[in-house]
């Protein structure tokens, strides 16, 4: 049971807590009442604010809408004013641009093009909005004037700065040192950079806005003239510097070398002026290719792509036609030379033709895209040159065969005939152009003429498909044919000589000259391609003519034979008839020896080796026979005046023979 005191204490604690709780409850009630009052006040305020806000909204919205409308109206007014200013500016364009247009684009191209752009916009405006207005005609006229001045500026700058390329630069561009491993490509600058950029800019504007292609005609006319003048300047350079014209020649320095040979001597009467003309033409051909390539590179920067090939075709025509005309003139000169039977003059076309054929690949690349008539000009010239060259070769061969036997034209001393030296000289000069001459013959399909067997790989309707080996065989056979014709003609000419010995000397000299010339100039190797025994054949002919010549001495040595000499014993007295026989033999020998030595001293054997050999052989035969004869007659008394008959000692006979073929003796 809890003590009373403790219960009282707990009760007091509980009562205190209850009293506190009641006080808290009372405070909460008072707070709630205040909160209700505040809430009611806030609701009243919010209700009043909402009412006022609605009133404000009802007042502001109409004002806002009115303000918005006013702003829109203001913007429309501004736009209208701006548009009016813009439109009005079109009416002032003609006046504003008048001074700039009149003064032209020179020196201020960018400003001028900007001015033209304003005029162009004015034209477009009036065309779209007021096509019947006089202002349209005004700005149109101003635009056309501006375009006209731009075209004039294009022509002016192009003409002013386009100059012929100096010959020295051209020679640098086409020459070069082929011994160098790395060859520098010489760039040809046709226009200053500033002028070029202006011309490109004007060209672009004329293409896009000018709608006029006349400037392209202007371009090709101006540049065509400069191209032609550049080549003519090079030609004039050669004429003026003929003394120092031994420049690096593309006729010699080529990518594809001809078969190397010894240097052939100059042809008879070869004119140095003609040499210069040939060298000049060869250089001009190379110059055309290089300059045309350079012109095309320049043209691609200025002319629209779809007009480039046509413009280039027109640009090169004048220079190309002049080169082709000059080539035709060379052909005509060769044709006239053939008619005069001056075949050496035809050799002028060989270096030219060789160079044309070697340059043709570059020509073909350069002329890509041009008209067929343009591309065919060089092949046509090459064909004409090959035709006239082949004709010259054939007629030359025929002329060697048919050269008339004129007695007054025969060498009195039996030396080498002019026909022989000229024929060999002509053939020697072909060595420098073996591929050219062989292809020339092949181009005329002359294989059937010479019965050259064709390799199946060489059979083709196209002459250009003949292999170089076939061409070489063809040239070999041609040279052999010329030599055969020459031999036949020489045999006929020799008949003019009444003296068989002189006839033999003449043929010997000519055959020997032919053989030595073949060996020295390497013609022998070329002929041996198809006729391997040509050397031995000539040696046989030479030996045969030596034997024919030696027969002339039989009328001397026949007096020294034992025939008709009577048999006798030493000391035996001879009969008158027997003494006369011996006298006649001495007399016949002496007179024959004197006559032959007198006649043959004036004959010629130019080859010292041959001359010495013939003399030595003759000395041996005559001296041995004479010594034997003298020995047989040594103890015979056939005359009281032996010195009258025994005129010459053997040594004297040998000395006389040593003076054969020596007019100075």
């Amino acid at each position: 049971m809890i003590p009373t005191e403790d219960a009282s204490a707990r009760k007091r604690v509980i009562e205190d807590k209850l009293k506190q709780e009641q006080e808290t409850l009372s405070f909460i009630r008072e707070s709630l009442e205040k909160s209700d009052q505040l809430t009611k006040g806030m609701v009243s305020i919010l209700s009043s604010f909402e009412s006022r806000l609605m009133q404000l909204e009802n007042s502001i919205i109409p004002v806002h809408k009115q303000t918005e409308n006013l702003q829109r109206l203001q913007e429309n007014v501004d736009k209208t004013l701006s548009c009016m200013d813009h439109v009005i500016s079109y009416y002032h364009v003609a006046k504003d641009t008048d001074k700039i247009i009149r003064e032209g684009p020179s020196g201020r191209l960018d400003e001028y093009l900007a001015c033209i752009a304003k005029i162009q916009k004015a034209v477009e405006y009036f065309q779209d909005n007021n096509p019947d207005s006089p202002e349209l005609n005004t700005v149109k006229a101003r635009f056309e004037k501006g375009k006209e001045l731009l075209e004039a500026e294009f022509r002016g700058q192009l003409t002013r700065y386009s100059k012929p390329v100096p010959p020295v630069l051209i020679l640098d561009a086409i020459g070069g040192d082929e011994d160098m491993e790395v060859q520098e490509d010489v760039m040809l600058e046709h226009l200053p950079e500033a002028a070029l950029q202006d011309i490109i800019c004007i060209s672009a504007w004329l293409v896009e806005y000018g709608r006029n292609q006349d400037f392209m005609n202007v371009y090709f006319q101006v540049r065509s003239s400069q191209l032609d003048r550049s080549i003519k300047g090079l030609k004039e350079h050669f004429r003026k510097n003929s003394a120092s014209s031994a420049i690096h020649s593309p006729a010699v320095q080529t990518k594809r070398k001809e078969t190397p040979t010894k240097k052939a001597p100059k042809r008879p009467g070869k004119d140095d002026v003609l040499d210069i003309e040939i060298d000049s033409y060869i250089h001009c051909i190379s110059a055309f290719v290089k300059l045309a390539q350079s012109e095309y590179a320049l043209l691609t920067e200025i002319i629209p792509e779809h007009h480039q090939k046509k413009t280039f075709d027109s640009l090169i025509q004048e220079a190309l036609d002049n080169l082709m005309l000059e080539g035709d003139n060379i052909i005509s000169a060769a044709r006239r030379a053939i008619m005069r039977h001056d075949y050496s003059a035809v050799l002028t076309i060989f270096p030219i033709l060789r160079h044309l054929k070697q340059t043709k690949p570059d020509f073909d690349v350069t002329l890509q895209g041009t008209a067929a008539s343009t591309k065919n000009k060089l092949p046509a010239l090459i064909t004409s040159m090959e035709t006239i060259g082949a004709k010259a070769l054939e007629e030359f061969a025929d002329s060697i065969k048919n050269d008339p036997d004129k007695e007054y034209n025969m060498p009195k001393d039996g030396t080498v005939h002019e026909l022989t030296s000229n024929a060999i000289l002509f053939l020697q000069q072909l060595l420098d152009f073996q591929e050219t001459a062989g292809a020339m013959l092949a181009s005329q399909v002359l294989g059937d003429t010479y019965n050259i067997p064709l390799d199946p790989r060489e059979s083709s309707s196209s002459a250009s498909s003949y292999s170089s080996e076939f061409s070489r065989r063809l040239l070999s056979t041609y040279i052999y044919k010329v030599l055969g014709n020459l031999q036949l003609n020489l045999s006929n000419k020799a008949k003019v000589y009444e003296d068989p010995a002189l006839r033999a000397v003449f043929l010997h000299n000519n055959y020997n000259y032919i053989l030595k010339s073949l060996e020295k100039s390497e013609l022998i190797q070329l002929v041996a391609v198809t006729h391997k025994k040509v050397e031995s054949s000539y040696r046989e002919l030479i030996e045969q003519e030596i034997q024919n010549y030696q027969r002339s001495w039989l009328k001397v040595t026949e007096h020294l034979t034992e025939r008709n000499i009577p048999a006798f014993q030493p000391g035996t007295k001879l009969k008158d008839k027997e003494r006369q026989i011996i006298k006649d033999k001495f007399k016949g020998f002496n007179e024959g020896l004197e006559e032959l030595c007198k006649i043959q001293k004036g004959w010629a054997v130019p080859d010292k080796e041959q001359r010495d050999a013939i003399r030595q052989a003759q000395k041996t035969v005559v001296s041995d026979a004479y010594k034997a004869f003298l020995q047989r007659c040594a103890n015979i008394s056939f005359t009281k005046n032996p010195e009258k008959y025994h005129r010459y000692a053997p040594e004297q006979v040998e000395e006389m023979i040593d003076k054969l073929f020596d007019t100075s003796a």
Side-chain angles (χ1 to χ4, degrees):
M1 196 172 169
I2 300 172
T4 305
E5 289 180 2
D6 290 340
S8 296
R10 284 180 61 95
K11 181 178 181 182
R12 281 194 302 271
V13 172
I14 292 170
E15 287 177 351
D16 289 339
K17 286 184 178 181
L18 180 62
K19 185 179 181 180
Q20 288 176 357
E21 291 295 332
Q22 286 175 343
E23 289 175 355
T24 302
L25 181 61
S26 176
F27 176 76
I28 291 172
R29 283 180 181 152
E30 289 176 359
S31 295
L32 286 173
E33 288 176 358
K34 288 181 180 180
S35 178
D36 287 342
Q37 289 175 357
L38 289 172
T39 299
K40 288 178 181 178
M42 181 60 70
V43 169
S44 175
I45 291 170
L46 288 173
S47 297
S48 175
F49 181 75
E50 184 179 5
S51 174
R52 291 180 181 180
L53 188 59
M54 289 180 64
Q55 289 177 0
L56 180 61
E57 185 178 348
N58 291 334
S59 300
I60 290 299
I61 285 176
V63 173
H64 175 71
K65 288 182 178 179
Q66 186 176 6
T67 303
E68 195 176 48
N69 290 336
L70 289 172
Q71 288 176 338
R72 192 177 296 114
L73 288 172
Q74 180 65 41
E75 289 175 0
N76 289 339
V77 169
D78 291 341
K79 287 181 180 179
T80 301
L81 289 172
S82 176
C83 187
M84 287 297 292
D85 289 340
H86 184 65
V87 170
I88 291 170
S89 70
Y90 289 134
Y91 286 85
H92 294 159
V93 163
K95 179 181 177 182
D96 294 342
T97 59
D98 181 64
K99 182 181 178 183
I100 295 176
I101 295 299
R102 277 191 292 103
E103 292 177 353
S106 184
R108 51 174 181 180
L109 184 60
D110 291 341
E111 181 184 0
Y112 190 86
L113 290 176
C115 186
I116 288 283
K118 289 181 183 179
I119 298 172
Q120 188 175 8
K121 288 180 180 178
V123 171
E124 293 171 356
Y125 170 78
F126 288 118
Q127 283 178 335
D128 293 340
N129 298 283
N130 196 358
D132 298 326
S133 67
E135 286 79 7
L136 176 59
N137 294 331
T138 302
V139 291
K140 266 188 174 181
R142 187 58 49 82
F143 181 79
E144 290 301 320
K145 180 65 176 177
K147 184 174 74 169
E148 181 183 321
L149 291 176
L150 274 175
E151 291 173 345
E153 179 70 7
F154 181 89
R155 178 191 291 272
Q157 290 222 37
L158 190 63
T159 305
R160 190 179 314 120
Y161 294 108
S162 290
K163 306 292 181 186
V165 180
V168 174
L169 285 183
I170 297 176
L171 290 172
D172 285 343
I174 66 177
D177 187 351
E178 293 210 350
D179 294 332
M180 292 175 60
E181 293 183 3
V182 179
Q183 194 162 322
E184 293 184 7
D185 192 12
V186 179
M187 298 298 295
L188 300 174
E189 183 181 285
H190 297 288
L191 297 168
E193 185 61 28
L196 175 60
Q197 292 308 317
D198 281 355
I199 289 171
I200 291 172
C201 189
I202 295 173
S203 169
W205 188 92
L206 290 172
V207 170
E208 186 172 358
Y209 303 110
R211 294 178 175 82
N212 191 333
Q213 297 179 8
D214 289 346
F215 79 95
M216 298 182 200
N217 296 331
V218 170
Y219 180 84
F220 90 69
Q221 288 166 2
V222 173
R223 294 307 308 168
S224 174
S225 174
Q226 298 310 319
L227 173 60
D228 191 51
R229 287 176 62 191
S230 296
I231 295 175
K232 286 178 178 175
L234 179 62
K235 194 179 302 181
E236 187 62 27
H237 173 80
F238 272 90
R239 290 196 182 100
K240 290 182 178 178
N241 298 276
S242 56
S244 58
S245 63
I247 317 169
H248 39 272
S249 171
V252 178
Q253 295 182 356
T254 52
K255 295 176 184 175
R256 296 172 293 166
K257 302 292 185 184
E258 292 276 358
T259 304
T261 65
K262 291 181 180 177
K263 186 67 177 176
K266 285 193 172 185
R267 64 177 180 271
K270 188 174 182 183
D271 191 352
D272 288 339
V273 175
L274 186 58
D275 278 344
I276 295 162
E277 291 297 325
I278 294 169
D279 209 25
S280 170
Y281 187 68
I282 286 172
H283 278 83
C284 287
I285 290 291
S286 294
F288 171 81
V289 174
K290 180 63 69 174
L291 290 170
Q293 291 170 347
S294 182
E295 285 291 345
Y296 188 75
L298 177 65
L299 177 144
T300 56
E301 295 189 70
I302 298 170
I303 303 299
E305 184 176 357
H306 54 289
H307 291 287
Q308 288 173 0
K309 294 294 185 183
K310 182 179 178 182
T311 304
F312 178 68
D313 198 343
S314 301
L315 189 155
I316 62 174
Q317 284 303 315
E318 183 178 5
L320 181 58
D321 285 344
N322 285 338
L323 283 175
M324 296 302 106
L325 178 60
E326 192 171 347
D328 290 337
N329 290 338
I330 292 169
I331 293 172
S332 298
R335 190 174 288 113
R336 290 192 297 271
I338 292 174
M339 293 176 66
R340 298 192 308 269
H341 306 295
D342 180 11
Y343 301 104
S344 62
V346 177
L347 290 168
T348 58
I349 71 171
F350 280 73
I352 294 173
L353 177 58
R354 175 175 66 185
H355 188 63
L356 288 178
K357 294 179 78 172
Q358 290 172 345
T359 310
K360 186 177 179 296
D362 291 333
F363 247 95
D364 293 342
V365 171
T366 304
L367 300 184
Q368 276 182 352
T370 58
S373 58
T374 302
K375 294 177 183 175
N376 291 336
K377 287 180 179 178
L378 182 68
L381 180 63
I382 288 174
T383 300
S384 296
M385 283 195 172
E386 285 189 326
T387 301
I388 196 68
K391 178 178 173 64
L393 291 175
E394 283 305 293
E395 292 204 10
F396 173 76
D398 291 340
S399 74
I400 296 299
K401 181 179 181 180
N402 301 320
D403 187 71
D405 306 327
K406 298 176 181 176
E407 186 172 351
Y408 65 83
N409 198 33
M410 296 293 290
K412 303 299 182 185
D413 58 359
T415 190
V416 177
H417 197 280
E418 183 182 12
L419 177 69
T420 302
S421 58
N422 287 347
I424 293 299
L425 193 54
F426 185 91
L427 294 178
Q428 284 174 335
Q429 290 179 93
L430 291 183
L431 287 173
D432 284 342
F433 308 100
Q434 292 183 42
E435 290 184 16
T436 304
M440 191 180 281
L441 294 169
S443 71
Q444 304 303 307
V445 197
L446 298 177
D448 292 339
T449 303
Y450 300 119
N451 298 315
I452 296 288
L454 274 174
D455 187 286
R457 291 169 294 180
E458 295 168 337
S459 302
S460 172
S461 59
S462 171
S464 62
S465 66
Y466 288 126
S467 72
S468 59
E469 182 57 31
F470 172 69
S471 298
R472 182 171 168 80
R473 294 204 307 274
L474 194 55
L475 181 60
S476 171
T477 306
Y478 168 79
I479 293 174
Y480 186 78
K481 175 185 176 182
V482 172
L483 293 174
N485 289 351
L486 178 59
Q487 181 181 335
L488 179 63
N489 197 315
L490 290 171
S491 296
N492 292 330
K493 287 185 185 307
K495 295 174 184 177
V496 171
Y497 296 113
E498 294 180 0
D499 190 331
L502 181 55
R503 190 181 308 153
V505 168
F506 171 76
L507 290 175
H508 163 271
N509 284 335
N510 281 270
Y511 294 154
N512 184 64
Y513 177 84
I514 293 170
L515 178 60
K516 291 296 175 66
S517 298
L518 292 177
E519 292 174 336
K520 286 179 182 178
S521 64
E522 299 178 11
L523 277 168
I524 198 78
Q525 289 93 327
L526 186 53
V527 179
V529 170
T530 53
H531 298 82
K532 298 186 182 302
K533 295 183 178 180
V534 65
E535 184 175 3
S536 59
S537 297
Y538 273 107
R539 294 198 184 283
E540 289 175 7
L541 287 171
I542 292 168
E543 184 57 36
Q544 181 181 328
E545 296 306 328
I546 290 175
Q547 292 174 8
N548 289 338
Y549 161 75
Q550 288 173 340
R551 289 192 185 97
S552 67
W553 284 85
L554 290 176
K555 64 181 180 181
V556 175
T557 56
E558 69 179 356
H559 296 289
L560 305 178
T561 61
E562 294 183 0
R563 184 163 46 94
N564 297 329
I565 294 182
F568 55 83
Q569 295 295 327
T572 304
K573 187 177 180 180
L574 298 178
K575 298 177 181 178
D576 291 344
K577 182 178 180 182
E578 293 173 338
R579 287 197 298 272
Q580 190 61 42
I581 289 174
I582 296 175
K583 289 178 182 178
D584 289 344
K585 284 185 176 292
F586 268 106
K587 182 180 179 182
F589 171 78
N590 292 335
E591 290 177 350
L593 175 66
E594 291 168 356
E595 180 185 1
L596 282 186
C597 287
K598 180 181 179 181
I599 293 173
Q600 295 185 7
K601 183 176 70 172
W603 295 355
V605 178
D607 187 319
K608 183 179 185 302
E609 183 181 340
Q610 287 287 314
R611 185 169 63 244
D612 292 345
I614 292 172
R615 286 171 175 172
Q616 185 60 46
Q618 210 56 54
K619 279 195 301 184
T620 301
V621 171
V622 176
S623 181
D624 287 354
Y626 188 50
K627 287 176 181 177
F629 176 74
L630 290 177
Q631 190 173 3
R632 286 196 301 275
C633 298
N635 298 318
I636 300 176
S637 176
F638 64 92
T639 178
K640 294 179 180 180
N641 302 307
E643 66 278 356
K644 177 181 177 181
Y645 298 97
H646 186 186
R647 297 180 193 173
Y648 304 107
E651 294 76 13
Q652 290 176 300
V653 171
E654 291 182 5
E655 288 177 5
M656 292 172 70
I657 294 175
D658 269 334
K659 294 178 181 178
L660 296 177
F661 319 122
D662 186 358
T663 56
S664 64

